[in-house]
Amino acid sequence: MARPRSLVSPLLSGVFCQCDTVNGGGAHTHDASPASQSLAAAALAADPCGGLLCGGPEHERRLQILFQELDVNKDGAICIEDLGVGLKRLGVHRTELELRKIVKAGDKDQDGQLDFEEFVHYLRDHEKKLRLVFKSLDKKNDGRIDAQEIMQSLRDLGVNISEQQAEKILKSMDKNGTMTIDWNEWRDYHLLHPAENIPEIILYWKHSTIFDVGENLIVPDEFTVEEKQTGMWWRHLVAGGGAGAVSRTCTAPLDRLKVLMQVHASRSNTMSIMGGFTQMIREGGIRSLWRGNGINVIKIAPESAIKFMAYEQIKRVIGSDQETLGIHERFVAGSLAGVIAQSSIYPMEVLKTRMALRKTGQYIGMLDCGKKILFKEGVSAFYKGYVPNMLGIIPYAGIDLAIYETLKNSWLQRYATSSADPGVFVLLACGTISSTCGQLASYPLALVRTRMQAQASVEGAPQVSMTKLFKQIVKTEGAIGLYRGLAPNFMKVIPAVSISYVVYENLKLTLGVQSR
């Protein structure tokens, strides 16, 4: 049974001795994660005076007692299972990933468990690291941290926050109303409120990398400093690209039906979902359901890579030397990165639409389609519908980001107690809702884009501008005409999100991506 806060808080003041054990003033180590504090909490629970780590008179005996409490199966070593059960008995609850991180940090001989010597070494090492963290936060070296120091220190850790956010964090930690934080208050906060660990939130709440609903207009995910330094970021992107390829291939028939309905459906030419599928199969057989999917999959890699690189460069311009941007800056940076990426690969978007609309025998393949468009229509044909496509990025990215952040923050405030990990279903639900709302907002622009891409292929047909096409659709079909093909588009969202998530998680394991 977990200890009530009223009992835990007084004990926290003695987790580590107040003596300064740091010497040499070496480079500071940022290791204040909940996982690395678990054994400290266990040491505290066993010894409120803090003598376990201070080298008191009963130092060896008390460490031995704690070790025996955590060594549940009494085999002389603490494995992951022992640690989980032992910490729970002491009122400290950690996920399996956090337990693995603890064992890995202290396991010098790499046998998957901690013997007594490794256990003691881990605790002492943690004391030094935690003290170093506090010293690095205390810029004025006065034993207290104010709002400006929080901003600067989190910036050093790769997290950019506003002064208002810093003051909010300060108030949540400041128990005596001084608007400054001492060593004990800082430690209490990080042990009891791990969900406020901003890099941990970034770690768990990835969104655009994981979900692929066919439209790559979402603001790119943030990556922690650790993920960038260890090279995990590109593995995430590769896993996301692979997941997108599988997801798009599985939902390609619905995507092609959407394109056909966007271009050909009208009041006089109604097209039902079953009627559309029947028409496609009758015209080109079962394989025709996947027309346009090849180029749709191929463009994932360049688009994702360009958008990520552009986003990182724009972040540097907007946020100076700050690694993580606020929601408004993220929207601006993400939208600009989306424009750059879409501009770079837009001819592939046109090819995808033409391949999806083609009749049997019209083109031999993607290259043949590209050649015929170039020779018959010129280079400008590859940029038909460019303006509505770029304009569509703003409502899509903005609404998706705003709704996702709102849902995320709501969950964190209400349900996050020991971890920022939302679990599979919450993550899927938030991502699906936000992406669907983003698509709904930008759908009229996407429809106009598709029609402009398609109308150039009809010989002798007038080349209508974006505004004229909008007016024409509303006049002849009403406002509902701007949402032709919406049904198959929404039908593919849930399977697309589910498939991409499952594939992403499996590819992460294959590529050796660690969540923590």
Side-chain angles (χ1 to χ4, degrees), residues 45 61 66 138-139 147 167 169 203 206 231 272 294 346 378 383 410 413 415 436 439 470 496-497 504:
R61 187 181 67 84
L66 176 58
D138 184 16
K139 302 296 182 184
E167 288 175 352
I169 292 174
L203 204 61
K206 282 181 173 53
S272 66
Y346 192 76
Y383 287 90
S410 177
Q413 289 171 9
Y415 304 108
T436 300
Q439 283 190 327
F470 260 115
V497 167
Y504 174 80

Side-chain angles (χ1 to χ4, degrees), residues 144 170-171 173-181 185:
R144 292 187 172 275
L170 191 70
K171 288 177 183 178
M173 289 185 279
D174 181 27
K175 296 178 182 179
N176 54 16
T178 60
M179 286 304 287
T180 58
I181 308 162
E185 289 172 330

Side-chain angles (χ1 to χ4, degrees), residues 253-310:
L254 285 167
D255 191 65
R256 187 182 180 221
L257 178 61
K258 177 196 73 175
V259 173
L260 289 173
M261 293 178 77
Q262 285 178 329
V263 175
H264 298 305
S266 63
R267 279 181 175 174
S268 58
N269 181 31
T270 57
M271 183 184 294
S272 66
I273 292 173
M274 289 306 298
F277 278 126
T278 303
Q279 180 181 325
M280 285 189 287
I281 294 171
R282 187 183 298 131
E283 191 276 330
I286 294 292
R287 289 185 62 185
S288 68
L289 297 176
W290 277 267
R291 284 179 184 170
N293 182 61
I295 190 70
N296 197 31
V297 168
I298 291 171
K299 72 185 180 74
I300 292 175
E303 183 174 12
S304 299
I306 293 169
K307 184 161 72 169
F308 175 75
M309 299 308 291

Side-chain angles (χ1 to χ4, degrees), residues 117-130:
E117 184 179 347
E118 291 171 334
F119 173 73
V120 173
H121 183 271
Y122 179 88
L123 287 178
R124 288 175 176 166
D125 185 56
H126 174 71
E127 179 190 16
K128 293 178 182 178
K129 288 179 179 178
L130 193 60

Side-chain angles (χ1 to χ4, degrees), residues 202-207 210 221-223 227 236 404 427:
I202 293 171
L203 204 61
Y204 282 126
W205 288 82
K206 282 181 173 53
H207 166 211
I210 297 175
D221 283 320
E222 294 286 342
F223 289 94
E227 286 176 311
H236 277 286
Y404 190 76
L427 197 62

Side-chain angles (χ1 to χ4, degrees), residues 25 37 43 57 76 97 149 152 178 219 258 274 291 295 331 355 368 390 397 428 454-455 462 479 491 499 516:
Q37 294 173 355
L97 287 172
E149 287 174 319
Q152 181 59 49
T178 60
V219 173
K258 177 196 73 175
M274 289 306 298
R291 284 179 184 170
I295 190 70
F331 169 62
M355 292 292 287
D368 182 56
M390 296 304 134
L428 287 177
Q455 71 180 2
M491 284 174 65
I499 292 167
R516 287 194 66 79

Side-chain angles (χ1 to χ4, degrees), residues 16 92 175 288 319 372 401 436:
F16 300 106
V92 181
K175 296 178 182 179
S288 68
K372 287 181 177 177
L401 181 63
T436 300

